[in-house]
């Protein structure tokens, strides 16, 4: 219960004001004059307050206007005495009403007001004035030990059920839901009014309920509060739903469920989408993960959170910048939104801040995929006077605390070099929940005559690799040739990943020495079959899948095929947690299209000391002191030791084709800072959205971001981006190109 007695007392001492305000309101609140309370009532400060409130509500009824239900509202005490006698009649009438319990519309996103039958009945019970009532208790906090307590709850009606005159409803807030029920006949004098309101409730209308917690006869094991219910003493309709709901919010509602709606409808109606318990749970998980990250960094390692600018200059993290035209600077001047706070955090180290972190918003104008957003959140960390092990240790502690996997994942995390990851798994973020490995056959196939392999190996930066899939024990799941041939789904995966020839396949014969399969391939490889089998450790009966071409394409294709086969063979244990560091990335990657080198991580990453020593003036083949954190095949973070000397930084800029002038113009402030006694430093960043997505078991990062954008970068709720007016553009010295 997060509403403490302090609040309650406060309200009690203020009741005079509340009381006089109540005299002015015409709200129809059905309340009770308890004639016979079967349940024990715990005496708590709230009761004092409640008596005042009850009195207030009574007064309101006495002074209530015609906005109250005509059938139940009469003047003063008359109302109470008549209520009991007319109750039976009313019950009968409610039974006949047969009102549907939900107003979910078939048509999503409709702007139509709800039909009169669904809204007007609760409409007439809503106050004409605004009121801001308080509560004593959260719906989800009630349990068997609450029995006998008098509570007030505020929330949304999840579902209402009219069982032949006895009305039930589930009232939901962010903590959970609890059943409320009208009292048995004769318990409360004004039961008919309460019943009328209960019967009029519609899904998602907002109520305040006061009542006593009692044990349920029919317990519901599926909900946290399923052992109890609240017997209503008074109920106030605070707001109604006057527009068709595009989908149901209730988790119990199967038809019209939000999960069955398109993502477009959910994003357009994000307010309601987030009201769903499932989505609120994701946001809560996110909040908890961030809270834990902060706690480890501050309490265990003495980090300090420092904010850095959002309007800045470009930082080259490899993506396109979001630009913001600067009105007060020369025409054409723009700020760039930070792709990460990389340079600021490095300069903070030069400033002597020693240990910095920030839950930072980063912006990258990339083509978006399921796990990308134009703006995303990362936990950004930098520290001075440490080696890579020290940084990785901090990152591991952060990961373990945020994920709660202390018992499942041991420190230090497994490490694998980039070279090994690429060789065995064709990926720098290998999913190690399953084994399937691949092997490069370039040396083995030196003198192959099989034309597709022979021609592939004549080109630079090319390979032939084989993936071994042992499905010999897979029974009916065994991978069929149809899936591997052109038009088969595995073959097509390879093609879609860029492999012009798709895929070649054969099997190791039972003798473990020869190959079986398509004649051309088997004959073409006959002279090196045994070598292939031995180098790739392929057992008898196993499937060999070959891809030939540019090494980059071969790896991408076989990585895809590896995942597809693992899924087909059910090799992925959904409960497994495969966490590892991939280390020793290359400094640079060759961009085939642009025919130039670009930084693999970012150009502020330090070169491996041995490689630098060997050839300080040509770093193109050097490894970097960079590391990525990979969880179940997803890169969730990464970092590096940094360059902290101007001369080395200049060499790296040169290697990526940046002239001295350009480097000075873009990064002069960093190069200068390095001349003022910069400390050795390094850091890392963890992608909060991706990590939380995995922790929640969500399919998309959009499910763990409150207000995400679509893959075309739009916010369907606010309809951003919006068109700027001609005046706004003129102020910014921008002209529309027709
Ligand atoms: N700035 C890097 C990134 O955003 C992380 C780091 O090197 O600290 O990927």
């Amino acid at each position: 219960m997060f509403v403490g007695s302090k609040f309650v007392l406060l309200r009690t001492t203020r009741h005079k004001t509340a009381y006089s305000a109540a005299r002015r309101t015409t709200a129809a609140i059905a309340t009770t004059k308890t004639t016979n309370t079967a349940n024990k009532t715990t005496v708590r400060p709230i009761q004092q307050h409640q008596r005042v409130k009850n009195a207030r509500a009574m007064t309101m009824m006495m002074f209530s206007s015609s906005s109250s239900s005509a059938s139940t509202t009469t003047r003063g005490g008359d109302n109470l005495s008549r209520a009991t006698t007319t109750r039976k009649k009313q019950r009968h009438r409610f039974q006949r009403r047969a009102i549907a319990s939900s107003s979910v519309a078939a048509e999503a996103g409709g702007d139509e007001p709800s039909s009169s039958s669904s809204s007007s009945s609760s409409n007439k019970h809503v106050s004409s004035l605004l009121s801001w009532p308080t509560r004593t208790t959260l719906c989800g906090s009630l349990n068997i030990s609450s029995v006998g307590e008098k509570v007030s709850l505020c929330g949304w009606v999840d579902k209402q059920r009219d069982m032949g005159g006895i009305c039930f409803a589930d009232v939901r807030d962010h903590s959970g839901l609890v059943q409320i029920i009208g009292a048995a006949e004769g318990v409360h004098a004004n039961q008919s009014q309460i019943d009328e309101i209960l019967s009029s409730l519609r899904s998602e209308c907002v109520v305040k309920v006061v009542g006593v917690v009692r044990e349920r006869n029919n317990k519901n094991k599926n909900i946290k509060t399923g052992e109890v219910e609240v017997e209503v003493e008074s109920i106030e309709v605070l707001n109604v739903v006057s527009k068709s709901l595009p989908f149901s919010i209730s988790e119990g509602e199967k038809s019209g469920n939000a999960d069955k709606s398109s993502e477009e409808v959910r994003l357009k109606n994000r307010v309601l989408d987030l009201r769903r318990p499932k989505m609120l749970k994701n946001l809560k998980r996110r909040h908890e993960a961030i809270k834990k990250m902060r706690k480890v960094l501050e309490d265990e390692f003495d980090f300090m959170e420092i904010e850095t600018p959002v309007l800045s200059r470009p930082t080259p993290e490899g993506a396109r910048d979001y630009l913001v035209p600067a009105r007060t600077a020369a025409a054409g001047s723009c700020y760039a939104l930070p792709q990460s706070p990389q340079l600021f955090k490095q300069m903070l180290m030069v400033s002597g801040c020693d240990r910095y972190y920030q839950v930072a918003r980063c912006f990258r104008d990339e083509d978006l995929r399921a796990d990308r957003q134009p703006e995303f959140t990362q936990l950004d960390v930098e520290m001075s006077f440490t080696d890579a092990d020290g940084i990785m240790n901090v990152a591991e502690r952060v990961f373990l605390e945020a994920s709660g996997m202390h018992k499942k994942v041991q420190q230090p995390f497994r490490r694998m070099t980039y070279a090994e990851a690429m060789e065995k798994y064709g990926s720098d973020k290998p999913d190690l929940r399953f084994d399937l490995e691949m092997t490069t056959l370039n040396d083995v196939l030196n003198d192959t005559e099989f034309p597709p392999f022979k021609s592939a190996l004549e080109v630079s930066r090319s390979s032939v690799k084989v993936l071994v899939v042992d499905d010999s024990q897979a029974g009916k799941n065994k991978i069929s040739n149809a899936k591997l041939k052109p038009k088969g789904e595995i073959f097509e995966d390879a093609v879609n990943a860029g492999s012009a020839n798709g895929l070649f396949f054969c099997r190791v014969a039972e003798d473990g020495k020869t190959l079986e399969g398509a004649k051309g391939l088997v004959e073409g490889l006959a002279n090196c079959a045994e070598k292939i089998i031995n180098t790739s450790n392929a057992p008898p009966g196993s499937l060999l899948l070959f891809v030939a071409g540019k090494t980059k394409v071969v790896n991408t294709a076989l990585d895809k095929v590896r995942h597809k086969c693992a899924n087909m063979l059910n090799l992925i244990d959904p409960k497994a947690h495969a966490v590892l560091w991939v280390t020793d990335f290359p400094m640079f990657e060759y961009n085939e299209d642009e025919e130039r080198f670009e930084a693999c991580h970012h150009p502020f990453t330090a070169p491996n000391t041995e490689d630098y020593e060997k050839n300080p003036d040509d770093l193109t083949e050097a490894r970097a002191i960079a590391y990525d954190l990979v969880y179940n095949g997803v890169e969730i973070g990464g970092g590096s030791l940094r360059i902290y000397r101007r001369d080395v930084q200049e060499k790296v800029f040169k290697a990526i084709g940046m002239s001295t002038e350009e480097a000075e113009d873009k990064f002069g402030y960093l190069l200068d800072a390095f001349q003022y006694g910069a400390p050795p430093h390094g850091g890392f960043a963890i992608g909060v959205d991706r990590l939380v997505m995995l922790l929640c078991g969500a399919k998309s990062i959009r499910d763990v971001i409150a207000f995400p954008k679509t893959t075309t970068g739009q916010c369907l709720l606010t309809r951003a981006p919006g068109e700027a007016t001609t005046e706004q553009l003129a102020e910014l010295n921008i002209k529309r190109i027709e």
Side-chain angles (χ1 to χ4, degrees):
M1 263 188 253
F2 83 102
V3 184
S5 53
K6 216 163 110 196
F7 278 42
V8 172
L9 279 175
L10 201 89
R11 284 179 295 140
T12 317
T13 53
R14 281 209 320 234
H15 79 261
K16 265 198 173 153
T17 340
Y19 182 75
S20 44
R23 288 173 66 95
R24 291 194 302 272
T25 178
T26 54
I29 303 175
T31 186
T32 64
K33 179 166 174 277
T34 306
T35 53
N36 164 22
T37 308
N39 289 305
K40 87 174 164 19
T41 305
T42 316
V43 179
R44 312 175 74 216
I46 183 64
Q47 270 203 291
Q48 164 65 24
H49 169 69
Q50 193 56 46
R51 276 196 291 274
V52 173
K53 283 249 172 168
N54 284 353
R56 184 186 83 169
M58 292 293 292
T59 315
M60 280 190 275
M61 280 174 46
M62 284 156 71
F63 289 95
S64 66
S65 74
S66 57
S67 70
S68 298
S69 154
S71 64
T72 56
T73 307
T74 58
R75 298 275 165 197
D78 246 21
N79 180 41
L80 290 179
S81 54
R82 254 184 62 179
T84 327
T85 50
T86 56
R87 188 147 188 255
K88 271 203 178 116
K89 267 194 219 157
Q90 285 169 347
R91 286 223 155 145
H92 198 64
R93 184 155 47 83
F94 295 148
Q95 270 172 14
R96 277 184 284 124
R97 255 191 216 159
I99 305 164
S101 69
S102 156
S103 59
V104 173
E107 204 54 41
D111 285 343
E112 297 299 308
S114 291
S115 66
S116 56
S117 76
S118 66
S119 68
S120 67
S121 49
S122 34
N123 248 343
K124 68 185 176 192
H125 296 294
V126 75
S127 163
S128 61
L129 290 185
L130 300 179
S131 70
W132 287 265
T134 54
R135 60 191 165 184
T136 59
T137 311
L138 297 179
C139 300
S141 70
L142 295 176
N143 57 40
I144 199 77
S145 70
S146 327
V147 169
E149 277 179 37
K150 183 157 182 174
V151 294
S152 62
L153 312 166
C154 290
W156 288 264
V157 171
D158 193 76
K159 253 191 190 167
Q160 183 263 25
R161 299 176 294 284
D162 191 336
M163 313 280 274
I166 306 270
C167 288
F168 300 83
D170 291 332
V171 178
R172 187 192 68 236
D173 63 20
H174 65 287
S175 66
L177 58 76
V178 68
Q179 174 166 292
I180 63 166
I181 180 172
E185 211 165 334
V187 174
H188 302 309
N190 64 334
Q191 192 60 48
S192 59
Q193 292 153 331
I194 296 176
D195 280 348
E196 175 157 351
I197 294 183
L198 283 174
S199 139
S200 75
L201 296 177
R202 294 294 165 267
S203 292
E204 300 313 311
C205 68
V206 187
V207 292
K208 172 175 178 172
V209 176
V210 178
V212 174
V213 182
R214 69 184 202 191
E215 190 170 352
R216 266 173 85 156
N217 287 336
N218 295 327
K219 301 204 169 43
N220 181 350
K221 290 206 181 82
N222 299 325
I223 58 170
K224 222 170 57 180
T225 62
E227 287 190 297
V228 295
E229 61 195 358
V230 174
E231 187 184 285
V232 182
E233 286 188 3
S234 77
I235 180 160
E236 194 174 344
V237 180
L238 303 172
N239 214 344
V240 291
V241 175
S242 53
K243 211 169 143 75
S244 301
L245 294 170
F247 42 71
S248 80
I249 312 300
S250 169
E251 274 185 342
E253 192 66 59
K254 295 281 180 281
S255 61
N257 195 307
D259 283 335
K260 291 190 186 132
S261 302
S262 71
E263 197 182 21
E264 192 185 330
V265 171
R266 286 179 46 214
L267 290 178
K268 208 167 144 192
N269 296 282
R270 192 60 163 178
V271 178
L272 288 173
D273 192 29
L274 289 182
R275 195 188 286 171
R276 298 193 295 138
K278 184 174 165 183
M279 296 300 284
L280 280 180
K281 205 166 138 203
N282 286 357
L283 292 187
K284 191 149 186 251
R285 184 72 186 89
R286 182 185 180 106
H287 159 73
E288 268 154 17
I290 294 176
K291 197 161 101 183
K292 293 260 172 60
M293 289 174 174
R294 286 200 155 102
K295 194 165 158 45
V296 188
L297 289 173
E298 291 176 16
D299 297 357
E300 232 172 89
F301 296 105
D302 213 14
F303 278 83
M304 166 160 70
E305 180 157 20
I306 305 175
E307 289 149 278
T308 54
V310 165
L311 294 178
S312 185
R313 294 204 65 173
T315 49
E317 299 270 351
R320 200 179 291 119
D321 285 313
Y322 275 103
L323 296 178
V324 180
R327 182 180 55 82
T328 49
S333 301
C334 288
Y335 299 102
L337 302 183
Q339 292 188 29
S340 90
Q342 184 61 38
L343 294 176
F344 285 109
K345 67 175 175 174
Q346 288 195 239
M347 286 188 294
L348 285 170
M349 293 303 104
V350 185
S351 305
C353 288
D354 202 76
R355 291 181 172 205
Y356 142 99
Y357 87 91
Q358 181 181 191
V359 178
R361 192 60 66 83
C362 305
F363 306 85
R364 297 184 191 179
D365 189 0
E366 295 175 293
D367 291 334
L368 304 175
R369 299 195 303 251
D371 62 348
R372 293 246 173 101
Q373 279 282 293
E375 52 181 317
F376 59 92
T377 305
Q378 72 183 26
L379 178 78
D380 198 49
V381 175
E382 199 73 5
M383 55 203 284
S384 295
F385 306 118
T386 178
D387 55 13
D389 288 344
I391 297 170
M392 285 152 116
N393 177 48
V394 173
E396 290 178 8
R397 288 286 307 122
V398 166
F399 174 83
L400 290 178
E401 283 301 319
S403 66
M405 288 185 203
H406 312 79
K407 296 217 174 88
K408 294 173 191 142
V409 185
Q410 301 304 315
Q411 262 197 290
F413 295 174
R414 178 173 177 182
R415 293 186 193 182
M416 182 183 286
T417 64
Y418 170 89
E420 185 183 347
M422 293 309 288
E423 169 58 15
K424 288 188 179 163
Y425 306 103
S427 164
D428 57 5
K429 38 181 181 298
D431 188 342
L432 298 189
R433 286 175 298 173
F434 57 96
D435 283 335
L436 308 182
E437 287 184 14
M438 55 191 81
T439 312
T440 301
L441 297 174
N442 291 20
D443 293 343
V444 175
L445 296 174
N446 248 343
D447 40 33
T448 180
E449 285 306 318
F450 183 59
F453 292 178
K454 188 170 185 225
S455 58
L457 291 177
E458 281 160 3
V459 182
S460 65
R461 298 179 208 278
S462 292
S463 313
V464 177
K465 284 183 88 169
V466 64
L467 174 74
V468 179
V469 180
D470 186 3
D471 62 350
S472 50
Q473 307 302 316
K476 64 177 178 358
N477 281 343
K478 209 165 165 171
I479 294 172
S480 68
N481 287 0
K483 294 198 170 100
L484 299 162
K485 286 181 174 165
K487 299 225 165 72
E489 54 182 304
I490 302 181
F491 184 95
E492 291 308 315
D493 268 359
V495 173
N496 293 336
S499 170
N501 288 324
L503 184 77
F504 301 89
F505 69 95
C506 61
R507 282 188 184 271
V508 179
E510 282 312 317
D511 64 8
K513 291 180 185 157
T514 50
L515 302 175
E516 289 172 343
K519 203 166 159 229
L521 178 70
V522 169
E523 283 179 8
L525 299 180
N527 61 345
C528 50
E530 219 172 324
K531 261 192 181 168
I532 293 173
I533 295 166
N534 291 339
T535 331
S536 61
N537 287 321
S542 60
L543 189 60
L544 301 186
L545 305 173
F546 302 86
V547 176
K550 284 279 185 192
T551 306
K552 210 172 163 182
V553 173
V554 170
N555 281 327
T556 314
L558 275 184
D559 174 39
K560 271 220 141 173
V561 169
R562 179 175 176 262
H563 279 89
K564 177 63 90 19
C565 293
N567 280 318
M568 283 177 169
L569 297 170
N570 287 328
L571 297 181
I572 306 176
D573 173 2
K575 292 207 183 92
H577 302 285
V579 183
L580 82 154
W581 286 107
V582 175
T583 63
D584 300 275
F585 276 74
M587 280 291 280
F588 306 105
E589 220 173 7
Y590 192 68
N591 184 326
E592 300 270 357
D593 299 332
E594 295 177 24
E595 295 182 352
R596 64 177 187 89
F597 285 98
E598 51 195 21
C600 211
H601 195 58
H602 53 61
F604 313 104
T605 298
N608 172 291
T609 335
E610 269 173 42
D611 297 350
Y612 181 74
E613 245 172 34
K614 255 190 252 159
N615 199 351
D617 292 318
D618 181 7
L619 295 175
T620 48
E621 295 301 318
R623 287 164 298 165
I625 313 178
Y627 31 81
D628 272 1
L629 187 56
V630 178
Y631 172 46
N632 288 353
V634 180
E635 179 203 328
I636 54 163
S640 61
L641 290 185
R642 324 293 187 193
I643 297 164
Y644 57 93
R645 264 185 17 215
R646 182 175 180 126
D647 60 326
V648 182
Q649 187 63 70
E650 281 175 338
K651 281 188 179 131
V652 171
F653 285 150
K654 199 168 144 216
I656 55 172
M658 203 183 279
S659 69
T660 316
E661 295 71 36
E662 196 184 346
E664 187 57 48
D665 176 51
K666 285 187 173 154
F667 304 112
Y669 58 95
L670 180 79
L671 295 169
D672 286 350
F674 284 172
Q675 290 180 286
Y676 294 129
H681 60 281
F684 69 90
I686 289 184
V688 171
D689 310 304
R690 276 192 211 172
L691 176 61
V692 176
M693 172 184 87
L694 296 173
L695 297 180
C696 290
K699 289 205 178 71
S700 149
I701 57 170
R702 291 186 289 278
D703 279 350
V704 298
I705 297 174
F707 299 106
K709 300 206 165 47
T710 62
T711 43
T712 52
Q714 289 172 3
C715 170
L716 296 183
L717 178 70
T718 61
R719 291 187 291 120
E723 209 179 326
T725 63
T726 309
E727 291 73 28
Q728 284 172 318
L729 293 178
E731 258 186 337
L732 297 167
N733 288 305
I734 295 175
K735 247 197 201 146
R736 270 198 195 88
I737 301 173
E738 299 303 333

